[in-house]
Structures are given as structure tokens and as C-alpha cells.
Amino acid sequence: MELGIAVPVGSTGHLGHYRGGEGVPRSSALREESSALWRLLATHAGHHFTALYEGAERWRELYVGDLGPDVVGGDADLDIPFEDFLYGWREGDQAGLSVAGHGVLRCLECGAGLWLGKAYGAGPDEVSFFHAGAGAGGGRGNSANVPVNRALWRFLAEHVMHELSVGVNGEAPAAVIGGTDGPSFEDYVAGWPG
Ligand SMILES: [Zn+2]
């Protein structure tokens, strides 16, 4: 999935993402982009992945001849439009689903972690969506939950090119962002311009 252009912000070296152009909001404020990102994580529960710079060696390794990977939200012929990728996805709709566990996004290089919420689905390897909102049967989906959603975008920006994992009930670092012993989502994104 295309995350947008990586923008260096401030002296911290942290990056934000946006899709370019004057007045265009940062990716974390875009609805479809954010929904697609959360769906991507749910679909790949239990997998490892990396947010890559386009053109990085590991990105080029994904090419077969001239053919690059199918990118959600990309603009090449074979890419997948956001609306197709999101078709039929009922984020936050808990009807008929049970909690398969708790999701944590981990950076295996830095030891950092971000709580993704309860994993709703048929099992730890078949997650429909993560839900960090409070209360049974209600609450906004993560993509519409502003601090939770911004925390995910920040985490990906901060750990770009690092090996990440989407774990359900797996090992987790001691102080997970958004978890009981870690900083809150709000504190983590406070002052972050992305
Ligand atoms: Zn990292």
C-alpha cells in the first residue's frame, strides 16, 4: 500500500506522510488511506512486514522483471484502488464476530510496540479488524479513532525500513503504546505534526 510521500519533520528526524500538494492533508487525516491501512494490518495478522521507501533496494527486490508489486492506492494499471480494497469491509461491526485476542504491532529492531486493540475475527490468523475503542458493541473503528489512527501512522513513520510484526496474543514489549503500562495514544501523538 502506498503511504504517501515521506516528509522529514522537525529536528527529531521523525517522518510524517502525506500525499502531496498544497492544502492536501497528511495521510493520517485521510479516511480511505487510514481505513486501508487498518485493513491491511488485519489481513496480515501474524505476518512480518516493513514500510519501505519506494526505490529502496528491498522495494526493488519485489519486482519481477519490470512488474512491481500490486499496490493498494497506487496509480499503475494493475494497482488496487482503495475502494476495491475496502469493498465489503465492515470495520468496527462486531456482529457475529468474537474476540480472537489482542493485537500488538511490534518493531523487532527497536523493541517498541503499539497496541492495536482487540482482534475481532474467526481466529488469530483470521482477523477482520482491530478495535481499540472502549465498550462492547459500540465505539468508532480504529481508522476513525483519531489518536489511535494517528499513533499507527506515527509508528510506521518512526519505524520506516524496520522489520515489524502484527502479532495477536504474541510476545509483546514491556511498555506498549496504548497498552496498560505504556504511554497513551494521546501522549504518543502529542506535538507530532503528521
Ligand atoms: Zn524500529
Side-chain angles (χ1 to χ4, degrees):
M1 174 181 153
E2 186 178 330
L3 297 174
I5 300 164
V7 193
V9 287
S11 55
T12 57
H14 293 160
L15 298 161
H17 290 100
Y18 82 127
R19 294 185 74 78
E22 191 91 7
V24 175
R26 298 291 166 95
S27 299
S28 64
L30 296 175
R31 193 76 190 90
E32 277 192 319
E33 277 79 351
S34 294
S35 296
L37 188 53
W38 282 101
R39 182 165 205 187
L40 196 73
L41 287 193
T43 308
H44 295 284
H47 297 180
H48 288 195
F49 74 99
T50 297
L52 296 173
Y53 289 121
E54 200 172 33
E57 198 177 330
R58 289 183 60 192
W59 170 258
R60 290 197 302 268
E61 286 168 2
L62 299 173
Y63 273 67
V64 179
D66 286 343
L67 208 57
D70 298 347
V71 176
V72 174
D75 53 12
D77 282 353
L78 294 176
D79 285 344
I80 305 153
F82 285 121
E83 60 181 278
D84 290 2
F85 184 65
L86 291 169
Y87 183 79
W89 189 48
R90 299 177 305 140
E91 186 192 16
D93 182 355
Q94 298 161 15
L97 296 175
S98 52
V99 176
H102 287 259
V104 173
L105 178 61
R106 290 176 72 195
C107 177
L108 303 174
E109 295 177 33
C110 304
L114 178 80
W115 191 59
L116 299 172
K118 292 176 183 170
Y120 283 86
D125 298 326
E126 215 178 313
V127 174
S128 180
F129 58 86
F130 293 105
H131 195 79
R140 295 167 298 173
N142 282 0
S143 70
N145 186 329
V146 174
V148 174
N149 183 52
R150 292 188 72 222
L152 172 59
W153 282 97
R154 179 172 194 176
F155 195 90
L156 291 181
E158 216 171 353
H159 299 281
V160 64
M161 301 297 288
H162 293 183
E163 171 123 16
L164 307 178
S165 75
V166 192
V168 177
N169 298 336
E171 246 179 82
V176 171
I177 297 155
T180 38
D181 299 323
S184 68
F185 293 118
E186 286 84 355
D187 285 351
Y188 179 59
V189 296
W192 180 59

